[in-house]
Amino acid sequence: MDNPSKIIEGGVEYSLGEFDGKQVNYDFSKILIYLDAKGKLLFGKDFKIYKKDKALLLKLCSYFIRDKRSCEKHAIDLSKGILLSGPIGCGKTSIMKLLRHLVPRQRPYEMIPCRNVTFSFNHLGFKTIEDYGDSRFYCFDDLGVEPAGRFYGKDLNVMGEVLLSRYELYLDTRHKLKTHATTNLNAEELENRYGSRVRSRMRELFNLIAFEEHSQDKRR
């Protein structure tokens, strides 16, 4: 019988908890062992789980394994996506790339750098907005620091338009659509970048989960 509490990586079997035949009772300490091993496979032997990040990881893991009790405790809405914020180099992108592998049976999301979305708009125009306003699941990486969009002399806040499209689709699919993002900006900076209307929609699209303001730059 297929056991969803086990994942095999590099020929090694990792247990994430106990499977009772109906559901997995996850064990966070076992999840951390798996994430550390998978992180080393994805990003190299220097990858590690930092002790000071464990509280944040607990929230994120609770969301991805759909632990309703833990999510309620941390005021996380399972119908929304994740907006992971924190200073440059704290590991936001790596963590979102890594957590896709924790629940292989769930529908995966694509990691898309926001600058690539803008470059696509500059080349293809409004087709880009349509392309990302579809039913696929995305994590838009580095939201808020992408360049301005321009197509045939018309300037556009491209990611703002994409988020508005995603929000409309989120409503149309009765909150089944998932949009995630990472950002270095705080709430005030995001509002300055995208305006109050987009910021309001972002509150409805995302659970905000944030690294500590003074998290170390792990790339140094």
Side-chain angles (χ1 to χ4, degrees), residues 11-39:
V12 179
E13 183 179 85
Y14 294 91
S15 170
L16 304 179
E18 301 296 329
F19 181 53
D20 64 9
K22 291 183 179 178
Q23 65 179 25
V24 179
N25 297 306
Y26 286 95
D27 181 327
F28 185 55
S29 61
K30 291 181 177 178
I31 288 175
L32 289 179
I33 291 169
Y34 166 70
L35 291 177
D36 186 67
K38 182 63 176 177

Side-chain angles (χ1 to χ4, degrees), residues 24 63-64 89 211:
V24 179
Y63 172 84
F64 281 105
F211 279 88

Side-chain angles (χ1 to χ4, degrees), residues 63-64 95-101 106-111 136-140 178 180:
Y63 172 84
F64 281 105
I95 282 176
M96 290 305 286
K97 284 181 177 177
L98 179 58
L99 287 170
R100 289 185 295 185
H101 300 278
Q106 282 187 26
R107 188 173 170 186
Y109 50 88
E110 292 179 59
M111 294 289 297
R136 284 177 289 182
F137 289 11
Y138 295 109
C139 178
F140 295 110
K178 286 288 189 297
H180 308 298

Side-chain angles (χ1 to χ4, degrees), residues 182-208:
T182 71
T183 185
N184 304 330
L185 306 186
N186 61 33
E188 188 180 341
E189 290 167 328
L190 285 168
E191 185 157 335
N192 289 339
R193 181 76 169 80
Y194 296 111
S196 58
R197 181 168 171 245
V198 174
R199 177 71 187 118
S200 164
R201 300 295 186 266
M202 287 173 71
R203 287 191 191 95
E204 296 180 62
L205 267 181
F206 297 121
N207 296 286
L208 175 61

Side-chain angles (χ1 to χ4, degrees), residues 1-164:
M1 184 180 178
D2 191 19
N3 188 338
S5 71
K6 312 282 187 199
I7 297 182
I8 296 173
E9 296 287 358
V12 179
E13 183 179 85
Y14 294 91
S15 170
L16 304 179
E18 301 296 329
F19 181 53
D20 64 9
K22 291 183 179 178
Q23 65 179 25
V24 179
N25 297 306
Y26 286 95
D27 181 327
F28 185 55
S29 61
K30 291 181 177 178
I31 288 175
L32 289 179
I33 291 169
Y34 166 70
L35 291 177
D36 186 67
K38 182 63 176 177
K40 285 176 168 60
L41 287 172
L42 288 174
F43 310 117
K45 59 179 174 41
D46 292 332
F47 176 86
K48 71 176 193 176
I49 302 285
Y50 288 80
K51 190 174 181 180
K52 61 174 62 175
D53 294 340
K54 285 184 180 177
L56 176 136
L57 273 171
L58 175 60
K59 292 180 188 176
L60 289 169
C61 289
S62 297
Y63 172 84
F64 281 105
I65 64 174
R66 302 187 66 78
D67 182 335
K68 291 181 181 177
R69 186 179 298 174
S70 182
C71 285
E72 283 173 11
K73 179 182 171 185
H74 293 110
I76 295 169
D77 184 338
L78 285 168
S79 73
K80 297 181 180 182
I82 295 291
L83 176 61
L84 184 58
S85 76
I88 292 169
C90 66
K92 302 180 295 295
T93 303
S94 297
I95 282 176
M96 290 305 286
K97 284 181 177 177
L98 179 58
L99 287 170
R100 289 185 295 185
H101 300 278
L102 182 59
V103 278
R105 286 164 181 76
Q106 282 187 26
R107 188 173 170 186
Y109 50 88
E110 292 179 59
M111 294 289 297
I112 307 288
C114 290
R115 64 198 303 270
N116 289 13
V117 180
T118 298
F119 292 152
S120 174
F121 174 81
N122 293 349
H123 180 60
L124 298 171
F126 287 89
K127 181 180 183 300
T128 299
I129 311 296
E130 292 172 22
D131 288 347
Y132 287 108
D134 64 12
S135 58
R136 284 177 289 182
F137 289 11
Y138 295 109
C139 178
F140 295 110
D141 196 28
D142 262 348
L143 182 68
V145 294
E146 72 277 359
R150 171 167 279 210
F151 186 69
Y152 282 102
K154 181 174 174 59
D155 291 335
L156 189 76
N157 194 323
V158 178
M159 282 309 305
E161 291 300 320
V162 168
L163 290 174
L164 289 173

